[in-house]
Short mmCIF file of all heavy atoms in Angstrom, two decimals:
data_model
loop_
_atom_site.label_atom_id
_atom_site.label_comp_id
_atom_site.label_asym_id
_atom_site.label_seq_id
_atom_site.Cartn_x
_atom_site.Cartn_y
_atom_site.Cartn_z
N THR A 48 145.80 -70.03 -110.51
CA THR A 48 146.07 -69.77 -109.09
C THR A 48 145.82 -71.01 -108.23
O THR A 48 146.34 -71.09 -107.12
CB THR A 48 145.21 -68.62 -108.55
OG1 THR A 48 143.82 -68.93 -108.71
CG2 THR A 48 145.53 -67.30 -109.25
N LEU A 49 145.06 -71.95 -108.75
CA LEU A 49 144.78 -73.19 -107.99
C LEU A 49 145.90 -74.22 -108.10
O LEU A 49 145.95 -75.16 -107.30
CB LEU A 49 143.47 -73.81 -108.47
CG LEU A 49 142.21 -73.02 -108.19
CD1 LEU A 49 141.00 -73.70 -108.83
CD2 LEU A 49 141.99 -72.83 -106.70
N ILE A 50 146.79 -74.03 -109.06
CA ILE A 50 147.87 -75.00 -109.26
C ILE A 50 148.80 -74.99 -108.04
O ILE A 50 149.25 -73.95 -107.59
CB ILE A 50 148.66 -74.68 -110.54
CG1 ILE A 50 147.77 -74.90 -111.76
CG2 ILE A 50 149.92 -75.54 -110.64
CD1 ILE A 50 148.40 -74.51 -113.06
N GLY A 51 149.04 -76.17 -107.50
CA GLY A 51 149.94 -76.33 -106.37
C GLY A 51 149.32 -76.08 -105.01
O GLY A 51 150.02 -76.14 -104.00
N ARG A 52 148.05 -75.80 -104.96
CA ARG A 52 147.38 -75.56 -103.67
C ARG A 52 146.77 -76.84 -103.15
O ARG A 52 146.39 -77.72 -103.91
CB ARG A 52 146.29 -74.51 -103.83
CG ARG A 52 146.80 -73.20 -104.38
CD ARG A 52 146.17 -72.09 -103.63
NE ARG A 52 146.64 -70.85 -104.21
CZ ARG A 52 147.05 -69.84 -103.48
NH1 ARG A 52 147.04 -69.93 -102.17
NH2 ARG A 52 147.46 -68.74 -104.04
N ASN A 53 146.66 -76.90 -101.83
CA ASN A 53 145.97 -78.04 -101.24
C ASN A 53 144.47 -77.78 -101.27
O ASN A 53 144.00 -76.76 -101.75
CB ASN A 53 146.49 -78.32 -99.82
CG ASN A 53 146.27 -77.12 -98.90
OD1 ASN A 53 145.61 -76.15 -99.28
ND2 ASN A 53 146.83 -77.20 -97.72
N GLN A 54 143.70 -78.72 -100.72
CA GLN A 54 142.25 -78.62 -100.79
C GLN A 54 141.72 -77.39 -100.05
O GLN A 54 140.82 -76.70 -100.50
CB GLN A 54 141.58 -79.87 -100.25
CG GLN A 54 140.08 -79.87 -100.40
CD GLN A 54 139.46 -81.16 -99.92
OE1 GLN A 54 140.14 -82.06 -99.47
NE2 GLN A 54 138.14 -81.24 -100.03
N ALA A 55 142.30 -77.10 -98.90
CA ALA A 55 141.84 -75.94 -98.11
C ALA A 55 142.13 -74.63 -98.85
O ALA A 55 141.30 -73.72 -98.88
CB ALA A 55 142.52 -75.93 -96.74
N GLY A 56 143.29 -74.53 -99.46
CA GLY A 56 143.63 -73.33 -100.23
C GLY A 56 142.74 -73.16 -101.44
O GLY A 56 142.32 -72.04 -101.77
N ALA A 57 142.46 -74.27 -102.12
CA ALA A 57 141.57 -74.21 -103.29
C ALA A 57 140.16 -73.82 -102.86
O ALA A 57 139.50 -73.01 -103.52
CB ALA A 57 141.57 -75.54 -104.01
N ALA A 58 139.69 -74.37 -101.75
CA ALA A 58 138.35 -74.03 -101.27
C ALA A 58 138.27 -72.56 -100.86
O ALA A 58 137.24 -71.93 -101.07
CB ALA A 58 137.98 -74.93 -100.09
N GLN A 59 139.34 -72.04 -100.32
CA GLN A 59 139.36 -70.63 -99.93
C GLN A 59 139.27 -69.73 -101.17
O GLN A 59 138.52 -68.74 -101.17
CB GLN A 59 140.64 -70.31 -99.15
CG GLN A 59 140.69 -68.87 -98.67
CD GLN A 59 142.00 -68.59 -97.92
OE1 GLN A 59 142.91 -69.43 -97.90
NE2 GLN A 59 142.09 -67.43 -97.35
N ILE A 60 140.01 -70.05 -102.22
CA ILE A 60 139.97 -69.25 -103.44
C ILE A 60 138.60 -69.39 -104.11
O ILE A 60 137.99 -68.39 -104.51
CB ILE A 60 141.09 -69.68 -104.41
CG1 ILE A 60 142.44 -69.26 -103.84
CG2 ILE A 60 140.88 -69.07 -105.79
CD1 ILE A 60 143.61 -69.79 -104.63
N LEU A 61 138.11 -70.61 -104.24
CA LEU A 61 136.83 -70.83 -104.90
C LEU A 61 135.65 -70.36 -104.06
O LEU A 61 134.54 -70.19 -104.58
CB LEU A 61 136.66 -72.30 -105.27
CG LEU A 61 137.65 -72.82 -106.31
CD1 LEU A 61 137.47 -74.31 -106.49
CD2 LEU A 61 137.49 -72.09 -107.61
N GLY A 62 135.87 -70.13 -102.78
CA GLY A 62 134.81 -69.65 -101.90
C GLY A 62 134.57 -68.16 -102.00
O GLY A 62 133.61 -67.64 -101.44
N SER A 63 135.41 -67.48 -102.73
CA SER A 63 135.26 -66.04 -102.90
C SER A 63 134.03 -65.74 -103.77
O SER A 63 133.81 -66.40 -104.79
CB SER A 63 136.52 -65.47 -103.56
OG SER A 63 136.32 -64.16 -103.98
N ILE A 64 133.26 -64.75 -103.40
CA ILE A 64 132.03 -64.39 -104.13
C ILE A 64 132.33 -63.94 -105.58
O ILE A 64 131.65 -64.42 -106.51
CB ILE A 64 131.21 -63.32 -103.36
CG1 ILE A 64 130.76 -63.87 -102.01
CG2 ILE A 64 130.02 -62.84 -104.18
CD1 ILE A 64 129.84 -65.06 -102.10
N PRO A 65 133.30 -63.05 -105.81
CA PRO A 65 133.57 -62.68 -107.22
C PRO A 65 134.00 -63.87 -108.08
O PRO A 65 133.59 -63.98 -109.25
CB PRO A 65 134.69 -61.65 -107.13
CG PRO A 65 134.64 -61.14 -105.74
CD PRO A 65 134.10 -62.25 -104.89
N ILE A 66 134.80 -64.75 -107.51
CA ILE A 66 135.22 -65.94 -108.25
C ILE A 66 134.02 -66.83 -108.55
O ILE A 66 133.88 -67.36 -109.66
CB ILE A 66 136.30 -66.73 -107.46
CG1 ILE A 66 137.51 -65.89 -107.17
CG2 ILE A 66 136.66 -68.03 -108.17
CD1 ILE A 66 138.31 -65.48 -108.37
N ALA A 67 133.15 -66.99 -107.57
CA ALA A 67 131.95 -67.82 -107.77
C ALA A 67 131.07 -67.23 -108.87
O ALA A 67 130.53 -67.97 -109.70
CB ALA A 67 131.17 -67.94 -106.46
N ILE A 68 130.92 -65.92 -108.90
CA ILE A 68 130.09 -65.28 -109.93
C ILE A 68 130.70 -65.50 -111.31
O ILE A 68 129.98 -65.83 -112.27
CB ILE A 68 129.92 -63.77 -109.62
CG1 ILE A 68 129.03 -63.61 -108.38
CG2 ILE A 68 129.32 -63.04 -110.82
CD1 ILE A 68 128.97 -62.19 -107.86
N ILE A 69 132.00 -65.35 -111.43
CA ILE A 69 132.67 -65.57 -112.72
C ILE A 69 132.48 -67.01 -113.17
O ILE A 69 132.14 -67.27 -114.34
CB ILE A 69 134.17 -65.21 -112.62
CG1 ILE A 69 134.34 -63.70 -112.48
CG2 ILE A 69 134.95 -65.74 -113.82
CD1 ILE A 69 135.73 -63.27 -112.12
#
Side-chain angles (χ1 to χ4, degrees):
T48 59
L49 294 174
I50 293 175
R52 302 222 182 226
N53 60 8
Q54 185 177 0
Q59 182 182 7
I60 291 172
L61 294 175
S63 168
I64 298 298
I66 301 294
I68 291 171
I69 290 169

